[in-house]
Amino acid sequence: MMNVAVVGQGFVGLTLSVFLSSKKLQVFGIENNQNKLKTIQIGKSPFFEPNLDKNLKKCLKLKTLQFVESLNPIFPKIDVVYICVPTPNRNNSIDLKFIKNVIYEISHLLKSTKKKPMIIIKSTVAPQTTNLLLKILSKNSNKILGVDYFLIVNPEFLREGSALDDQMNPHLIVMGCEDSKSQHKIKNFYKKLYPEKIPRTYTNFSTAELIKYSNNAFLATKISFINSISNLCEKIPGANVDDVANAIGTDPRIGSLFLKAGPGFGGSCLPKDLNSFISVYKNFGIQPILLNSVKNVNEKQSDQILSILKNRYKKLEGKTISILGISFKENSDDLRESRSVILIKQLLNENCKVKVYDSLALENTVKLFKNTIEYCNSIYDCSKNSDCLIIMNADKEFKKITHKNISNMHKKFIIDTRRILKISNVEYIALGKNSDNY
Ligand SMILES: NC(=O)c1ccc[n+]([C@@H]2O[C@H](COP(=O)([O-])OP(=O)(O)OC[C@H]3O[C@@H](n4cnc5c(N)ncnc54)[C@H](O)[C@@H]3O)[C@@H](O)[C@H]2O)c1
């Protein structure tokens, strides 16, 4: 049986470990955060992801998956090592500290192993990063690429909320290699892991890195595009952004996905990858005109909500504002770059009283905002005594709000950033619809 190590047990690493272990590989999940390690060792995921806990427990029971703190003691038996550590932003460009740490460690471990391991980069990295990592590996280990070890850039495209399904059935497998032996190795390894029908792209390091950045930048562009149409719709009598999006989405050259207008994109990937892509352009002396606009539209989008409130109330100080949905999207407890978090900070700056409700993300919200806001366990509690209720994500619970849920609001005023609510006899403003439409 092949022994596989997966370094970093976050969204990507943990779901990958569970997937690989279900394929009857012997998997070692490496996690250096003690609290996270303890949690996953008892079969609990540190974050919400549908079906993950159940599958994690199954793998632990079968003993095809175990979690350890460090790569060091197990490295001599490892055939494949995946790198799934964070690649965050620092000063708006990519911070390579985590990935470099792992590569330095592997380069030293390579010196003494008798195996010829395959090293697979899953973390999202900027073009030319893997060339740099290769230099570290070859200089420190004195081993030769394609002879003593193999190196592949294999970016991840999973979506939080369907991460396990996406691990099993990716829409595409990108494999970037600089030598034919690495390409041969990964091709054979993935032949057994993934159905034949899944398209494969074989390319070099830089193009593989560029594919992932371009993919995320294009998704971000679609969202900012429809949000700028949405802003125009609000001004034109009768206009409705959803009708526009649905219609243009039927054109196969455009496609219907990522055309939902809203409060802007957030999450752990799009904002950070867009920022580092912008800095890649600058490093090569090219003005990132388009990507800067995508970013600007996104950043202005949460100001839209604040201006609606300011137009309505003139003075926001002392008003009670209720926020439904804190995570960056429904079915998630991930607050990274969530537009709700930005809005809450803006409202606190205006000296508003903020109440929040989210069926999955309250625990993480408490860690972030401590006692500065009020946490509620239902829509009813959250809307009580409120001057405005703001729907921030498309959780299915929010679609069913009735007058009963909001009977104790101080002012029956709702801002619906996703246009999911159908309710009459309240003051209702939806982003992307002209108010003459109600
Ligand atoms: N989250 C997504 O939806 C997604 C999708 C595609 C690609 N990616 C990319 O994948 C990478 C990982 O993302 P994520 O969301 O899983 O990150 P994450 O922050 O959820 O998890 C990363 C984990 O790595 C651990 N870690 C850091 N250094 C380590 C080390 N030296 N040894 C062991 N563990 C270590 C951290 O403690 C953390 O638990 C990033 O580059 C991200 O851009 C993420």
Side-chain angles (χ1 to χ4, degrees), residues 7-13 30-33 36 84-87 98 102 122-124 156 158 160 212 268-269 272 336:
V7 186
Q9 292 294 304
F11 276 93
V12 172
I30 322 289
E31 175 54 58
N32 68 357
N33 176 313
K36 277 194 187 177
C84 308
V85 295
T87 45
F98 296 100
V102 180
K122 274 274 166 200
S123 296
T124 303
E156 179 56 64
L158 65 74
E160 290 180 19
K212 175 65 188 171
S268 66
C269 291
K272 90 162 164 72
R336 290 178 284 185

Side-chain angles (χ1 to χ4, degrees), residues 181-249:
K181 288 273 167 49
S182 293
Q183 194 185 90
H184 181 72
K185 280 268 204 186
I186 191 78
K187 192 174 180 179
N188 283 341
F189 183 48
Y190 281 177
K191 203 178 237 172
K192 292 171 215 141
L193 272 188
Y194 298 105
E196 210 176 326
K197 65 172 197 286
I198 295 172
R200 273 108 163 132
T201 294
Y202 298 97
T203 182
N204 52 33
F205 288 165
S206 290
T207 311
E209 294 163 333
L210 202 49
I211 289 171
K212 175 65 188 171
Y213 265 40
S214 308
N215 198 101
N216 276 358
F218 194 76
L219 295 176
T221 305
K222 278 187 101 174
I223 298 174
S224 279
F225 174 83
I226 202 65
N227 280 338
S228 56
I229 302 288
S230 166
N231 296 340
L232 183 63
C233 285
E234 284 161 28
K235 304 285 179 211
I236 301 177
N240 179 337
V241 72
D242 288 326
D243 291 346
V244 176
N246 290 339
I248 64 172

Side-chain angles (χ1 to χ4, degrees), residues 169-185:
N169 277 305
H171 72 275
L172 169 73
I173 303 168
V174 175
M175 290 160 277
C177 306
E178 293 294 326
D179 68 296
S180 57
K181 288 273 167 49
S182 293
Q183 194 185 90
H184 181 72
K185 280 268 204 186

